[in-house]
Amino acid sequence: MPKVKKRRLGFVLDMTPLVDITFLLLTFFMLTAKFKSEAESQQRFTIVRPQATADTSRLPDKDLAIIKIGIDTLVGDTSYYYEMTNETDWAQVVGSMEQLQQSLGGQRVRQVKVNLQELDELIRRTRIVRPTTRFAIDADRRVRYKWVEDLMDVLRQNRATIFNFVTDRRPPEQPPM
Amino acid sequence: MGVADFGGEAKRERRGGKRRRKKMRRLRYRLDMTPLVDIAFLLLTFFMLTTTLVTPQVMEMTIPPERTQVEVRQSELLTLRIRSDGKVFYNLGTDAPQAIALKDLESLAVRENVRLKNRLITVLKPSPNVPYGRVIAVLDVLNRAEVQISEQLAREGLKRERRFALAPMTEQDEQEIAGL
């Protein structure tokens, strides 16, 4: 009996390497984690992005204006949504549009639901505030192409002729239909 | 925690005692790491499960600044039309449109572009009613063909200059592919 007790007490597991690795992984995941932006947490739709072959080009983070075409999960109607990553630019653009501000009712939002005319106005003002702003079209793959075509016309009218389509990476084993 | 007192011994025998005392303390020193490990693992699990490592990628698109009619030679024009049901039709110049599967489109684009050496203009006309995902799928195929085209043209000592346009589908276009 006393022998067994002694052995139990003396049992020591060296946790140092375990803790080392754990902290290493923890640091890695904490630094790579990207949290949902304020605009994203406000939206009432999820975008099913079209799939494309793996590419190295990534969405830029800075000075980006994203035009989303989403299908509302509750009502099921399609609409344009506009958001910008640069907060000060966003405040300037939205602040200069009285009509839009009235419809928002003074609420602080990061994403607005817009129609084509408002979108045209927003894009024009964005180009004035910062001409180097990049545009990205983040559309649901199920929407009719008409929505994208109209949007591209608006972009063209505002001389924003270079933009990006946001896509998801297609798994390599899955060929296109 | 658990430090033995060897004070008296150290006073008596200075050098030896000091060495011994240090050794003993190191051996006996134990920090209970269990709560630390608990929290670390908890956080690790949280971050591992919440992070999405795949960031969305982009496909760059350039459109001409104005909708102007440009005169092009019919023989150097490859028209691709996407009908509202998603079917893709192609025709060279004034040929009759023919249906083509997406997997054959890549080889067609490569073949025709290499044959005409940079002079070929590809025009894509998607129907307004086709799902947007289908248009991207076609664009993706054309983008993939680009790699092979520039490779093959480079072998002939040419630099690839892409000539591509997105155009709206007119009524005439729709009629041409309606019954196929």
Side-chain angles (χ1 to χ4, degrees):
Chain A
M1 266 313 265
K3 210 180 175 184
V4 176
K5 215 177 181 183
K6 211 178 178 182
R7 201 182 267 168
R8 269 208 183 169
L9 262 171
F11 181 77
V12 179
L13 184 69
D14 189 12
M15 293 228 232
T16 325
L18 178 78
V19 175
D20 284 355
I21 295 295
T22 312
F23 269 98
L24 191 80
L25 286 172
L26 181 61
T27 321
F28 169 74
F29 280 105
M30 274 177 81
L31 292 180
T32 52
K34 215 182 151 197
F35 291 97
K36 243 185 188 180
S37 68
E38 226 179 310
E40 259 171 67
S41 58
Q42 282 171 1
Q43 75 187 20
R44 283 168 53 209
F45 55 89
T46 41
I47 286 175
V48 189
R49 294 196 178 103
Q51 293 189 323
T53 319
D55 197 342
T56 46
S57 54
R58 292 278 174 272
L59 204 59
D61 308 318
K62 275 178 75 187
D63 302 335
L64 181 75
I66 307 166
I67 303 135
K68 290 187 176 171
I69 310 176
I71 301 170
D72 199 301
T73 40
L74 291 176
V75 195
D77 60 345
T78 310
S79 186
Y80 294 110
Y81 299 85
Y82 193 74
E83 65 178 73
M84 286 164 72
T85 51
N86 190 321
E87 223 163 303
T88 46
D89 286 2
W90 171 255
Q92 270 191 58
V93 169
V94 176
S96 64
M97 283 178 71
E98 278 177 24
Q99 246 192 330
L100 194 68
Q101 278 212 310
Q102 271 174 6
S103 66
L104 294 175
Q107 279 180 324
R108 195 173 152 272
V109 287
R110 296 286 292 136
Q111 185 185 60
V112 284
K113 184 175 174 177
V114 285
N115 57 31
L116 263 187
Q117 284 81 43
E118 287 167 327
L119 197 57
D120 182 39
E121 190 74 27
L122 277 168
I123 292 169
R124 179 160 53 245
R125 284 174 198 261
T126 306
R127 299 269 295 160
I128 293 167
V129 169
R130 192 183 295 272
T132 53
T133 305
R134 314 249 314 204
F135 289 90
I137 300 178
D138 192 0
D140 198 299
R141 63 169 173 239
R142 295 163 297 177
V143 303
R144 288 167 66 222
Y145 176 68
K146 179 97 176 60
W147 288 88
V148 185
E149 198 174 40
D150 291 346
L151 171 58
M152 285 198 289
D153 267 338
V154 169
L155 284 169
R156 187 205 315 274
Q157 282 158 25
N158 288 296
R159 296 281 187 278
T161 53
I162 301 172
F163 47 82
N164 295 304
F165 286 127
V166 184
T167 57
D168 263 344
R169 194 173 64 94
R170 191 207 330 274
E173 68 276 7
Q174 189 186 330
M177 296 161 292
Chain B
M1 206 180 136
V3 183
D5 190 9
F6 288 109
E9 218 177 309
K11 250 173 211 165
R12 225 183 294 138
E13 217 182 272
R14 264 206 158 182
R15 291 174 75 193
K18 226 182 185 178
R19 210 182 295 151
R20 203 162 130 206
R21 192 175 153 188
K22 237 185 185 172
K23 232 182 189 173
M24 288 306 279
R25 196 183 259 178
R26 278 231 175 144
L27 262 173
R28 289 281 179 107
Y29 184 76
R30 222 170 285 147
L31 182 72
D32 189 13
M33 293 224 227
T34 324
L36 177 78
V37 174
D38 283 356
I39 296 296
F41 266 105
L42 191 80
L43 287 171
L44 180 62
T45 321
F46 169 73
F47 279 103
M48 272 177 79
L49 293 179
T50 50
T51 42
T52 44
L53 290 173
V54 203
T55 45
Q57 55 181 28
V58 293
M59 187 185 277
E60 201 175 272
M61 189 75 211
T62 314
I63 50 173
E66 264 145 39
R67 274 241 159 106
T68 45
Q69 294 291 321
V70 188
E71 292 283 320
V72 290
R73 232 179 279 172
Q74 283 286 345
S75 60
E76 292 168 0
L77 187 70
L78 173 68
T79 314
L80 292 169
R81 299 187 179 101
I82 313 173
R83 201 162 64 178
S84 47
D85 60 358
K87 256 194 171 175
V88 184
F89 295 88
Y90 82 98
N91 67 298
L92 271 162
T94 48
D95 293 354
Q98 265 181 291
I100 189 167
L102 265 199
K103 60 180 193 305
D104 304 323
L105 184 59
E106 190 174 341
S107 51
L108 172 91
V110 173
R111 194 179 64 228
E112 292 303 325
N113 272 295
V114 171
R115 186 172 66 86
L116 284 164
K117 296 187 180 58
N118 274 341
R119 292 200 311 275
L120 187 77
I121 300 169
T122 312
V123 179
L124 180 64
K125 296 177 172 179
S127 154
N129 294 316
V130 79
Y132 163 69
R134 186 70 180 164
V135 182
I136 292 293
V138 175
L139 279 173
D140 187 42
V141 170
L142 293 176
N143 281 345
R144 262 186 300 158
E146 237 16 64
V147 182
Q148 289 185 49
I149 294 165
S150 42
E151 236 172 57
Q152 296 198 17
L153 286 179
R155 241 177 270 156
E156 295 175 41
L158 289 164
K159 198 176 170 291
R160 171 71 174 150
E161 282 164 37
R162 196 176 185 183
R163 300 166 90 180
F164 173 80
L166 261 175
M169 190 177 250
T170 59
E171 262 179 50
Q172 196 202 334
D173 287 315
E174 265 174 55
Q175 275 166 15
E176 273 182 50
I177 56 166
L180 295 167

